């Protein structure tokens, strides 16, 4: 086994999500995108497979060409340890825009500041500012 890579399946907005995430998190970038062609099973130009980095962590994603009855769930989330109040506040504000709040940003006793949210794409994030 070489490695384990988190894999996100979107329904037509994978590239939008990657662009959004890499714009919010520094030291992040899209490293490769393969697209469906005119004769592919997916919509032409949509993401067949892509790789991106968020703060050095590699992710893969696709735009599924099959409509599924399921989407992302908060039982799997991306956990970010923030370095400052400014960083956690900025990420919380941006990632909740169009999404939802599972735990509001506050001191919940186990860290200085913590929030758990779902973004506009349905991906769950835990934001933590340690004591």
């Amino acid at each position: 086994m070489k490695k384990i890579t988190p894999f996100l399946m979107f329904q037509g907005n994978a590239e939008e999500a990657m662009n959004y995430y890499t714009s919010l998190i520094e030291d992040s970038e899209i490293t490769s995108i393969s697209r469906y062609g005119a004769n592919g099973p997916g919509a032409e130009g949509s993401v067949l497979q892509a790789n991106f980095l968020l703060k050095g962590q590699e992710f893969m994603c696709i735009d599924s060409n099959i409509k599924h009855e399921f989407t992302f769930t908060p039982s799997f989330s991306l956990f970010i340890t923030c370095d400052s109040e400014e960083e956690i506040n900025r990420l919380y504000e941006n990632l909740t825009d169009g999404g939802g709040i599972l735990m509001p940003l506050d001191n919940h006793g186990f860290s200085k500041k913590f929030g758990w949210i779902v973004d506009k794409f349905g991906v769950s994030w835990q934001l933590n500012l340690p004591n």
Side-chain angles (χ1 to χ4, degrees):
M1 181 185 310
K2 290 184 179 187
K3 62 182 173 178
I4 296 173
T5 306
F7 187 94
L8 304 173
M9 183 182 71
F10 294 92
Q11 297 288 324
N13 54 4
E15 188 167 9
E16 179 186 358
M18 286 187 299
N19 285 325
Y20 187 63
Y21 300 151
T22 57
S23 75
L24 290 177
I25 300 171
E26 60 186 42
D27 301 325
S28 300
E29 66 178 323
I30 298 170
T31 56
S32 67
I33 300 179
S34 299
R35 300 180 188 283
Y36 287 106
N39 298 320
E44 184 176 5
S46 65
V47 176
L48 171 65
Q49 182 179 329
N51 293 57
F52 62 104
L53 299 172
L54 297 178
K55 200 67 170 179
Q57 170 65 53
E58 183 180 9
F59 290 82
M60 294 175 66
C61 69
I62 62 169
D63 279 323
S64 179
N65 64 318
I66 300 168
K67 189 69 175 170
H68 295 282
E69 296 302 317
F70 57 86
T71 185
F72 300 109
T73 169
S75 67
F76 179 85
S77 59
L78 304 178
F79 190 96
I80 298 179
T81 301
C82 297
D83 292 327
S84 68
E85 291 268 347
E86 183 279 326
E87 183 178 48
I88 196 168
N89 291 337
R90 179 181 55 78
L91 288 172
Y92 185 85
E93 181 180 324
N94 282 284
L95 290 170
T96 57
D97 185 22
I101 299 169
L102 300 174
M103 284 179 76
L105 192 59
D106 204 351
N107 180 335
H108 295 282
F110 51 83
S111 71
K112 184 176 181 179
K113 206 171 213 183
F114 177 86
W116 193 344
I117 60 96
V118 176
D119 70 23
K120 63 185 174 183
F121 303 104
V123 176
S124 178
W125 299 79
Q126 294 186 60
L127 307 174
N128 185 53
L129 182 61
N131 291 326

